[in-house]
Amino acid sequence: MSDIPPEVINDILYRLPVKSLLRFRCVSKSFKALIDSPKFIRAHLKQQALKHNSDVKLIFKSHKLYSLDFSSISSSQLEELDHPLKHPYGPTQVLGSCHGLILISNNLSDNGVWNPSTKMFRKLPVCHVNPPQNHGPRQVAGLSQICGGFGYDISANDYKVVKIAQFCHFSGSSLVIVTMVFSLKLGLWKKKVQDCPYWLVKEDNGTFAAGALHWLASTESSSEWSPWVLIGLNLGSERFKLVPYPENLGKPLHLNLAVLGECLCLISGHVVVRTNEKNHVLDHVDIWVMKDYGVKESWIKLFSVEQLDGRQHFSFLRPIAYSVTGKEVLLEMDNRKFLWYSLEKKSLKHSKINGGLDFFESFVNLGTLVPLYGGGNDGGENEKDEKEKIEPEKKDGAGNIEDEDVLVIEEFKLEL
Amino acid sequence: MASSTTGEKKILTLKGGDNEEFILEESLVLQSELLKNMVKEERVSSIPLPSIKSKTLVKIIEYLKKHAELTPSNKEEFKNFEKEFVNVVLEELLDITVAVNYLKINGLLEFCCQAVADRIKDKSVEAVRKIFRIESDFTPEEESEFRKETPEAFEGDLDDTTN
């Protein structure tokens, strides 16, 4: 037996990348027990999130999925990710990522959550989103939008996959939102029907930050120009809530969401209106960050990027991550190249990152040991026991939002 | 007896494992939560540390001195010192880490653990066992199971050395 105190071994091991840890599980039974323990997995995740130069990968979604080491970003090679949903026809979509897990999808019936570091995969049972049958006296008409997302429920220490379908009423101006939530811990889909006065304007996947998935929504059905609001679906309460905007946002032409350093981020693209010019060319893009979630005053304009000259001009910029030093921000430009923005020099430079891909979307993914049966905590281990304990959530129609919770038991049986 | 004084400075004696004594200013050891507690609460002037080798204690005192001299202007120099500080054979680095953990010098502990982690990250399983002085309690069959379960973790150039 080692004479090195266990707390020292623990303190050393949780600073290691996943690849080393998977190997060192083989050192001894006590090493394996430590590395597999939920407490260790959480400490490791926390350490990964804190450190800039940890086990982080930049993942590219093109026709296939690729990854690149973030700490040696300009020198390392693009590696194809051999994911379990790979098939020769058509691309696999990435619908969200959180704590080193990614939600991948080929089509509505072929979805799963994957941890690229441990190669663990969990296929999701098929989920059909049907219009609500008995939602009050009103009749429900056509489907307007389907969105989705993936994130972490802080309160239950659980990871959740979300599918949202929005239906219009024949009469009246309100909408019904059907939210389907798959809990990784419980292993089942849960259906919730609620009135929601906001129209989800884009088919975007929700942006995950601070325990909620976020979308931009409109307060009117038809007009693209009606005031946009920012709504967040809290993954604990599974309710929508308005999230405040920055005070001086101006009147942007484009507005998009992103996450930067775990903070929710708004990308607002502005134009200078010139007469006799029909094509709007962006003049500048502002990157806003909400430092303290939910607090309007905490929105700060992190930086602003002026349009580049001539042929270099961009139509869309998206912040991806802070650099290893934290002094630069990596920006994805028009899905085809990268720029570095220096926060100190307030200047842009082209990045040498070259995946050799013509068109892609990118995001950063932490190397974590997070398992797929739970949130990496003590509760996640006895998945079967947990399933037997499920009780439908109680209705508590707060405000004017009606809820209707249904556990989709059939789906869950199919999975077994 | 209370610690002896020369002018304003209190003097403290640390006794290492090899019976060597180190006489130093009390203010130097206050970065150690353990020693600070003993000096402040129990008012001792001589502290036996039989589990820490003198060689290790010398290194730690060297660090405490450098850290006490740290000012905003010599930050770079201190960083270089830190780099050199952990540039010793792994066995010695682990001895230092264990001692620093015992003495509760938190900033240095973090630095040492990270240094050990960086050094062992590409090591083979055998090398890690030797470094941590651990005997395997897995059967060869169980070990080959691990390799089947996560083959990519055993791929690449793994380092078999222990230094």
Side-chain angles (χ1 to χ4, degrees):
Chain A
M1 194 54 205
S2 172
D3 49 354
I4 297 164
E7 72 266 24
V8 173
I9 291 179
N10 184 71
D11 209 350
I12 292 166
L13 292 190
Y14 80 75
R15 294 160 196 274
L16 286 169
V18 173
K19 189 181 171 183
S20 310
L21 291 171
L22 292 178
R23 187 165 66 247
F24 297 163
R25 284 171 81 233
C26 180
V27 166
S28 71
K29 285 181 179 161
S30 65
F31 260 52
K32 180 180 182 293
L34 172 70
I35 294 168
D36 289 348
S37 75
K39 202 177 156 198
F40 181 84
I41 292 171
R42 267 158 78 93
H44 181 258
L45 169 67
K46 213 172 149 195
Q47 177 75 10
Q48 293 296 307
L50 273 177
K51 268 169 44 184
H52 284 296
N53 56 347
S54 46
D55 190 7
V56 178
K57 298 269 194 290
L58 184 64
I59 296 189
F60 292 74
K61 190 203 83 74
S62 183
H63 193 74
K64 294 170 179 169
L65 298 182
Y66 301 89
S67 100
L68 196 66
D69 241 345
F70 195 72
S71 52
S72 53
I73 199 163
S74 41
S75 58
S76 61
Q77 290 290 312
L78 210 60
E79 252 177 69
E80 192 189 330
L81 282 175
D82 201 10
H83 66 84
L85 288 188
K86 214 164 118 177
H87 66 127
Y89 328 102
T92 298
Q93 301 299 325
V94 176
L95 305 182
S97 80
C98 174
H99 292 179
L101 305 180
I102 62 177
L103 171 62
I104 49 181
S105 166
N106 285 333
N107 52 50
L108 283 174
S109 58
D110 201 10
N111 296 282
V113 180
W114 187 47
N115 181 332
S117 308
T118 62
K119 311 282 180 216
M120 278 196 277
F121 178 71
R122 177 149 173 198
K123 200 168 158 56
L124 299 182
V126 180
C127 158
H128 299 286
V129 189
N130 299 315
Q133 296 299 312
N134 307 308
H135 195 70
R138 298 153 297 179
Q139 272 211 299
V140 172
L143 179 68
S144 74
Q145 289 288 352
I146 288 197
C147 303
F150 178 65
Y152 176 61
D153 169 6
I154 300 162
S155 60
N157 193 14
D158 192 4
Y159 292 88
K160 290 180 171 175
V161 177
V162 175
K163 274 188 188 179
I164 289 174
Q166 204 163 29
F167 300 89
C168 317
H169 287 302
F170 273 129
S171 59
S173 58
S174 77
L175 285 166
V176 176
I177 281 190
V178 177
T179 319
M180 302 292 298
V181 179
F182 184 82
S183 147
L184 250 59
K185 212 173 185 180
L186 304 183
L188 52 77
W189 284 100
K190 195 168 87 173
K191 183 177 178 181
K192 188 174 192 131
V193 181
Q194 48 191 313
D195 283 333
C196 178
Y198 312 113
W199 276 262
L200 297 171
V201 260
K202 296 180 185 173
E203 283 179 37
D204 283 356
N205 296 307
T207 304
F208 178 76
L213 283 165
H214 299 87
W215 287 270
L216 290 165
S218 168
T219 50
E220 283 168 45
S221 64
S222 55
S223 166
E224 278 263 328
W225 296 101
S226 74
W228 281 12
V229 289
L230 179 53
I231 55 171
L233 176 73
N234 183 295
L235 291 180
S237 67
E238 289 159 15
R239 284 169 190 287
F240 287 95
K241 204 178 146 188
L242 275 180
V243 179
Y245 263 145
E247 189 77 60
N248 308 309
L249 189 64
K251 284 208 165 76
L253 177 68
H254 304 301
L255 202 53
N256 288 285
L257 291 171
V259 185
L260 188 61
E262 300 201 324
C263 290
L264 192 63
C265 203
L266 266 171
I267 310 154
S268 67
H270 297 262
V271 285
V272 176
V273 182
R274 297 185 188 93
T275 46
N276 303 328
E277 221 176 278
K278 281 186 180 167
N279 292 333
H280 290 296
V281 174
L282 282 182
D283 178 66
H284 67 278
V285 168
D286 293 337
I287 307 291
W288 291 84
V289 174
M290 185 160 51
K291 289 277 179 191
D292 191 1
Y293 183 77
V295 178
K296 190 180 179 78
E297 295 72 29
S298 78
W299 277 106
I300 56 154
K301 195 196 283 181
L302 194 63
F303 59 91
S304 186
V305 182
E306 298 290 323
Q307 182 60 277
L308 300 171
D309 291 336
R311 287 167 55 213
Q312 296 280 340
H313 90 252
F314 53 76
S315 35
F316 185 60
L317 286 181
R318 199 162 59 91
I320 303 297
Y322 287 104
S323 65
V324 170
T325 59
K327 291 173 183 167
E328 293 170 308
V329 175
L330 185 66
L331 297 163
E332 187 193 278
M333 169 179 158
D334 297 342
N335 296 101
R336 58 190 175 89
K337 62 196 289 185
F338 290 106
L339 303 167
W340 283 109
Y341 181 84
S342 163
L343 295 166
E344 282 178 342
K345 294 180 202 150
K346 302 196 190 318
S347 64
L348 272 184
K349 69 172 188 216
H350 288 280
S351 142
K352 287 188 191 119
I353 306 165
N354 183 8
L357 302 169
D358 293 335
F359 193 83
F360 58 82
E361 281 168 47
S362 65
F363 60 95
V364 284
N365 197 48
L366 297 177
T368 72
L369 292 163
V370 171
L372 299 175
Y373 47 76
N377 80 327
D378 326 292
E381 287 184 321
N382 302 316
E383 200 186 330
K384 291 238 160 71
D385 298 346
E386 291 272 351
K387 279 180 182 172
E388 283 155 19
K389 277 187 252 163
I390 305 159
E391 279 171 37
E393 237 178 56
K394 287 194 182 91
K395 288 185 188 183
D396 62 342
N400 51 7
I401 292 178
E402 282 177 56
D403 289 349
E404 187 185 305
D405 286 348
V406 183
L407 290 173
V408 187
I409 304 294
E410 315 92 73
E411 303 286 0
F412 134 66
K413 276 182 187 154
L414 278 177
E415 195 216 7
L416 296 177
Chain B
M1 216 186 96
S3 41
S4 41
T5 20
T6 49
E8 288 295 297
K9 289 167 186 166
K10 288 185 179 170
I11 296 298
L12 180 75
T13 306
L14 297 179
K15 283 185 191 163
D18 324 308
N19 259 334
E20 281 185 59
E21 295 191 0
F22 299 88
I23 300 151
L24 66 169
E25 285 172 27
E26 194 189 281
S27 61
L28 270 183
V29 305
L30 299 183
Q31 287 175 65
S32 153
E33 288 296 322
L34 180 91
L35 300 183
K36 184 180 167 186
N37 207 37
M38 291 172 102
V39 172
K40 294 282 176 199
E41 303 294 321
E42 299 165 32
R43 300 184 169 275
V44 291
S45 60
S46 169
I47 299 173
L49 298 165
S51 66
I52 303 175
K53 288 181 203 154
S54 288
K55 192 184 172 193
T56 309
L57 207 49
V58 168
K59 281 286 277 185
I60 293 174
I61 294 170
E62 190 191 343
Y63 176 90
L64 293 176
K65 280 198 143 166
K66 266 280 180 219
H67 193 274
E69 290 160 15
L70 178 64
T71 61
S73 61
N74 63 13
K75 248 186 180 170
E76 271 309 303
E77 195 190 316
F78 185 73
K79 268 190 183 164
N80 290 334
F81 165 78
E82 272 187 320
K83 261 184 220 156
E84 271 310 302
F85 182 81
V86 292
N87 191 15
V88 291
V89 292
L90 251 178
E91 193 186 356
E92 198 185 334
L93 182 57
L94 261 176
D95 282 346
I96 296 171
T97 309
V98 171
V100 166
N101 176 63
Y102 176 71
L103 294 170
K104 294 196 174 72
I105 309 171
N106 293 332
L108 182 57
L109 178 62
E110 215 167 282
F111 190 75
C112 287
C113 286
Q114 187 61 53
V116 177
D118 293 342
R119 294 269 285 273
I120 65 168
K121 120 176 130 63
D122 296 318
K123 297 274 185 203
S124 69
V125 171
E126 263 317 307
V128 169
R129 282 186 193 136
K130 282 183 200 146
I131 292 162
F132 287 94
R133 302 184 279 272
I134 290 170
E135 298 224 350
S136 173
D137 43 11
F138 286 120
T139 63
E141 291 75 33
E142 283 171 323
E143 278 195 35
S144 70
E145 257 326 291
F146 283 106
R147 279 162 216 271
K148 270 189 230 157
E149 232 178 86
T150 54
E152 64 287 341
F154 297 88
E155 281 164 10
D157 286 329
L158 299 179
D159 177 7
D160 280 319
T161 62
T162 56
N163 49 29

